[in-house]
Amino acid sequence: MSQVRVLGELAVLDDVGPARRGRAYPAAGATSALLLPAAVLLGGLVLWPVLRTMHASVTTDGRWVGAAHFRTALAAPGTGAVVGRTVLWALLVPAVVTALGYLLAAASRRSQEGGLVRLILLVPVALPLVVTGVTFRLMYDPDPSRGLATLVATRLTGRPVEDAPQLLGPGMVTVALMSAFVWAWVGLAVLVFRSALDAVPPSLADAVRAYGGTRRHVLWDAQWRPLLLRTTAVVFALVAVGTSRTFDLILVMTPGSVRDEASVLALRIWQTSGGTTTGDGAALGVVWLVAVIGGIMVAALFVRQAWPPPRVEAAPEPAPVAPPRRVFRLLAAGAAIAWLVPLAVLVATSAHGRVDAAARGWWSAPPNGESYRDLVTGTELWRTLGFTLLLATAVTATVLAVALLAAYPLAWLTGPAAQATGLLLLAASVVPIQVIAGPVNEVLGLVLSSGTAQGLALVHIALGVPFAVLVLRNAFADLPVEQVRDARLGGRRWWHTLRRLARHNLSAVVAVSVLEFVQVWNDLVVGRLFGGPGSSPLGPFLAEQTRSFVSNSGALAASSVLASVLPVVLVVLSRRHLVAGLVSGGVR
């Protein structure tokens, strides 16, 4: 303890104990009140539905049947292929995204064109996966007169037009879907690796060279071992969890005739249960849930840090680092051009009318803007955009408020309690909604009418709170002790302290807000499962238009462009806050 004079009065500073805690936590009664909203949401709409699904997987009408549902579900025709395809997605796609992300981050460092390359790679991250599916379905159209990729493949293979390669056919559809997913996610990996590379002190490489180290030693001892190995594990885990969202791509991008050849557990569970609680569907859901949570837990334990992590003193200004070699700069420029092609296809198709876009490729006729004129003069798209904007804004504001309240008391936990809380929040963040859709509908039926905007918002809030609490909790705990004490002394009540702490953690607050808004704006599966006639957001609206894909391709492309403007602008403008916020609130 120490005594100081503040405004002429004697003040006692409680600086005993771990310095990082700063004694900024609220009293026990206030702590319970702060945690209550998050606990009710997670308990009622995540934990209980998970337990209900597990119960349904081993019972029939309340009667214990053991593993009977698991045997039936796994023995169903095609289930083995579906499970194998899901595992392939969870291993191959993250590996490709991680490798490309590192290579492009290294190639675009400290070069004049590096910033533009990263900006181009970032744009697909903000696009709804529905829009990504529309874009690549336009590119992979089986008719070479409309599909650019099909036309190029036909000419490269020297085949006649009648025998054009079917990129969305049974043999290639999974590869086509994976290419679309990689295109959408590489930009995020590049940003994370770029942040990690910038954090590596150049003096480490100098020290390795001074001891006779080769380029390989510099890469391993001065980059991978101190920081990039952990970053690789984080990126791989994030992308592996993200592959559970392949539901959006498969539903939009694959023709109905080959959907079974592309199916993964996300789609099979939806087809089996249809948003209800069934034995076979619950059994498949439990298998998927255990795999997802088990995988993310292994990754989290692999990359965990001491809690709280030690503060690193400010380092001197780093020495200038030479730009990458010419071959790597060419690699980055080539990737940027390749990443622009799908965007150019979407925009060019949207500039044509319904007849032109359905009959021939966008390169065969001049643009006329007919699709945009039809959309602007209509009301359906604007009504959907307005509803989605209100929904995303309300959900984001609520998630941020609930997460700030819960993160404030949780930030001061230490040791095993902090680690256990982090793992529980992480597990709740990755629960696939298809697995618990039936029990969630049962809960909504008790408190709200089914298919209402309020129910849809409530589900989004419950799904968004765990990740938001995790990021903000970690960001609060990372604050220097001086800032924590300043907030404690400057705030007369706990809410004053919380407001000051949030101000010090602006990047984390912005990151949570932008990511939650974009997540709700880009959503398809939650809106499809829990929306109704008067509460249909943007994702289901666009997906519905793909039923007549060819005849509706011009209007669908124009709708996709208009739907992508807001999330792209938000992500591009806040990209620095996104990286800083996620790094400060990283997985521990």
Side-chain angles (χ1 to χ4, degrees), residues 4-5 134 145 182 189 196 265 290 295 326 364 381 417 495 499 510:
V4 296
R5 291 276 177 180
V134 169
S145 65
V182 168
L265 279 174
V290 169
R326 183 177 179 83
S364 303
L381 177 63
W495 52 85
R499 185 176 60 188
V510 171

Side-chain angles (χ1 to χ4, degrees), residues 376-431:
V376 170
T377 56
T379 61
E380 190 175 8
L381 177 63
W382 298 117
R383 189 185 306 113
T384 303
L385 287 173
F387 173 79
T388 308
L389 178 62
L390 290 175
L391 176 68
T393 303
V395 169
T396 301
T398 307
V399 166
L400 184 61
V402 173
L404 282 170
L405 294 178
Y408 176 48
L410 293 178
W412 320 120
L413 294 176
T414 58
Q419 295 286 358
T421 302
L423 291 176
L424 287 175
L425 289 171
L426 189 59
S429 301
V430 299
V431 172

Side-chain angles (χ1 to χ4, degrees), residues 65 228 266 534:
V65 296
L228 293 186

Side-chain angles (χ1 to χ4, degrees), residues 268-515:
R268 175 60 69 92
I269 292 170
W270 174 71
Q271 292 172 330
T272 303
S273 59
T276 61
T277 307
T278 64
D280 293 353
L284 283 178
V286 170
V287 171
W288 190 25
L289 183 64
V290 169
V292 171
I293 293 181
I296 199 66
M297 288 299 177
V298 170
L301 292 173
F302 178 73
V303 301
R304 72 183 187 274
Q305 299 175 358
W307 186 270
R311 298 299 300 180
V312 179
E313 298 297 330
E317 190 70 23
V321 178
R325 290 183 296 177
R326 183 177 179 83
V327 62
F328 292 109
R329 297 175 66 180
L330 290 175
L331 170 66
I337 294 173
W339 254 247
L340 278 174
V341 170
L343 295 174
V345 168
L346 179 67
V347 173
T349 304
S350 71
H352 290 78
R354 183 184 300 269
V355 175
D356 282 347
R360 50 192 170 179
W362 51 268
W363 60 87
S364 303
N368 53 33
E370 180 185 330
S371 295
Y372 285 106
R373 284 196 297 271
D374 292 342
L375 288 174
V376 170
T377 56
T379 61
E380 190 175 8
L381 177 63
W382 298 117
R383 189 185 306 113
T384 303
L385 287 173
F387 173 79
T388 308
L389 178 62
L390 290 175
L391 176 68
T393 303
V395 169
T396 301
T398 307
V399 166
L400 184 61
V402 173
L404 282 170
L405 294 178
Y408 176 48
L410 293 178
W412 320 120
L413 294 176
T414 58
Q419 295 286 358
T421 302
L423 291 176
L424 287 175
L425 289 171
L426 189 59
S429 301
V430 299
V431 172
I433 186 58
Q434 294 97 318
V435 173
I436 59 174
V440 169
N441 269 321
E442 294 175 6
V443 174
L444 293 180
L446 295 175
V447 296
L448 294 167
S449 300
S450 179
T452 62
Q454 295 88 341
L456 183 62
L458 195 60
V459 175
H460 274 299
I461 292 168
L463 295 177
V465 162
F467 180 74
V469 173
L470 183 66
V471 172
L472 292 173
R473 179 203 75 146
N474 293 348
F476 283 169
D478 270 351
L479 283 176
V481 64
E482 295 79 11
Q483 291 184 351
V484 174
R485 285 177 174 164
D486 174 69
R488 182 62 172 166
L489 288 175
R492 301 180 61 182
R493 297 289 188 272
W494 64 261
W495 52 85
H496 297 135
T497 304
L498 174 58
R499 185 176 60 188
R500 288 171 175 264
L501 291 174
R503 193 184 309 147
H504 290 315
N505 268 309
L506 181 62
S507 290
V509 172
V510 171
V512 166
S513 302
V514 171
L515 288 175

Side-chain angles (χ1 to χ4, degrees), residues 54 68 159 220 277:
M54 296 175 66
R159 296 185 182 185
W220 178 252
T277 307

Side-chain angles (χ1 to χ4, degrees), residues 134-155 161 164-168 255 341-342 344-346 348-350 352-365 548-554 557:
V134 169
T135 302
F136 277 79
R137 187 163 176 180
L138 290 171
M139 286 187 59
Y140 295 153
D141 191 294
D143 188 344
S145 65
R146 293 191 303 266
L148 178 62
T150 306
L151 175 63
V152 172
T154 301
R155 294 186 175 177
V161 174
Q166 298 299 296
L167 301 178
L168 292 178
V341 170
V345 168
L346 179 67
T349 304
S350 71
H352 290 78
R354 183 184 300 269
V355 175
D356 282 347
R360 50 192 170 179
W362 51 268
W363 60 87
S364 303
S548 303
F549 192 90
V550 174
S551 62
N552 203 30
S553 55

